[in-house]
Each structure stands twice: as C-alpha cells, then as structure tokens.
Amino acid sequence: KIRISRTSTRSAHCTMDAIVQFCRNALCTLKNFNILSDTFLYDPNVTARYYKFPPPLDQTTPLEVLISVTQFYAFVSVTLAGYRLFKKDGMDKLQLISRLVNARAKSSKDKDEKKKKENTDEDDKIKKSSETVAHRLVAESLLNEGDVATHAFFVGVDVFFYRNFFL
C-alpha cells in the first residue's frame, strides 16, 4: 500500500490550484487580446453542437466555457480551503486547547490538594518551583496556539463566506 501524507496532498492541491490559475489566466489573456480569434475557440457553433443554451447564452464560445470551468474550480477550491481553515485549524484546535486547559486545571487542583495533606521539605520546594515554570511555559504555549487558532477561524470564515458569496 502507498500511504500519502497530509502534507503531500496539501502540496498537490496547491500545485493543482497554481496550474488551474495559470490556465485560467492564459485563457483570459487569449480572450482579452483576441488572440487566435480565427480558431474554433471563438466559434459559438462548436458549443451549440454539444449543448443547447437558451437565447442569450447560445452565443457562448468554447473559450468562455473553458474559462467558466476554471473559475468554478477556483470557487470550489477556495470554498473548501476556507472550510478547512475555520473547521480544522480553527474550531477543532480551539476545542482541543480547551480540553487540555481543563485537564491541566483538574490535575493541578488534585496535586495541590494532595500536597496540602503531605509535609513539604526542601526537595519538594525545588520540584514545585520547576513544575511552576513548566506549567507557565505550557500555559503560554497554549495561549499562543489559541490565538493562532482564533485567527485561523476568522480567516477561514472570511474566505469561506465573504470571498465566495459576496464578491
């Protein structure tokens, strides 16, 4: 079996997006500068052979069909990327961080209750101070990850809804 890693599929999507974007730009350049105007790309009869559009659209050329297909791919690609951003990198990560913080708070509370019952000596004070530093570093890291996840959530919502449906 061949296993494809998540990063390789992500780079494959980026490569495919770049190829489709390049093709779309090339097709739009052909149309804008009227390049190859004497070929089948500008003949609406070619499109009419495969599909009968209603009256204003019956003048659609194969070039316009190709441009619309690449535009639709871009729409779907951006929509899915936005959804992944706000779902996986945003909401799911925030939920995970929330569970981690709750679990750490509960374990910290249990340790504090346990230590109150026991006598403390010099080794316990040193151990406690190192644990405090470790807890502070982990808490700072969780806060930073939470900020990144919140940012990813809002960027994903922007990409998913605003950029696709309102522009």
Side-chain angles (χ1 to χ4, degrees):
K1 289 184 180 179
I2 298 174
R3 288 192 66 166
I4 299 174
S5 70
R6 199 168 133 202
T7 34
S8 66
T9 57
R10 188 177 297 158
S11 66
H13 286 293
C14 291
T15 303
M16 185 66 179
D17 290 348
I19 291 169
V20 170
Q21 183 179 10
F22 176 77
C23 291
R24 184 181 68 234
N25 289 341
L27 292 170
C28 288
T29 302
L30 287 175
K31 184 177 180 192
N32 290 341
F33 292 112
N34 208 15
I35 300 171
L36 302 174
S37 61
D38 55 343
T39 63
F40 73 95
L41 290 174
Y42 288 87
D43 186 12
N45 295 325
V46 173
T47 308
R49 245 187 285 166
Y50 298 104
Y51 188 79
K52 180 141 175 74
F53 287 109
L57 296 176
D58 62 349
Q59 295 302 311
T60 303
T61 65
L63 181 61
E64 292 167 337
V65 170
L66 291 171
I67 291 171
S68 66
V69 167
T70 58
Q71 282 294 104
F72 184 72
Y73 175 85
F75 167 76
V76 170
S77 174
V78 167
T79 301
L80 291 175
Y83 178 76
R84 272 187 241 111
L85 254 178
F86 87 81
K87 178 69 174 129
K88 190 187 303 180
D89 294 343
M91 286 176 32
D92 290 350
K93 191 181 259 188
L94 285 171
Q95 289 173 345
L96 177 65
I97 289 170
S98 175
R99 281 182 281 198
L100 284 171
V101 167
N102 288 339
R104 286 189 66 242
K106 184 178 179 185
S107 68
S108 177
K109 184 179 175 184
D110 291 343
K111 284 181 184 178
D112 288 343
E113 288 176 2
K114 189 184 220 184
K115 288 194 178 199
K116 285 180 184 176
K117 293 178 183 177
E118 298 174 358
N119 292 334
T120 59
D121 59 353
E122 197 63 36
D123 290 336
D124 286 341
K125 288 180 184 178
I126 294 170
K127 190 175 183 182
K128 185 177 180 180
S129 68
S130 66
E131 285 178 358
T132 304
V133 171
H135 284 289
R136 192 180 79 231
L137 290 173
V138 169
E140 287 174 9
S141 175
L142 286 174
L143 284 173
N144 289 338
E145 284 295 317
D147 290 343
V148 169
T150 303
H151 178 75
F153 173 80
F154 285 112
V155 168
V157 168
D158 177 50
V159 169
F160 183 73
F161 290 109
Y162 180 73
R163 302 237 186 252
N164 283 320
F165 300 112
F166 298 114
L167 288 181

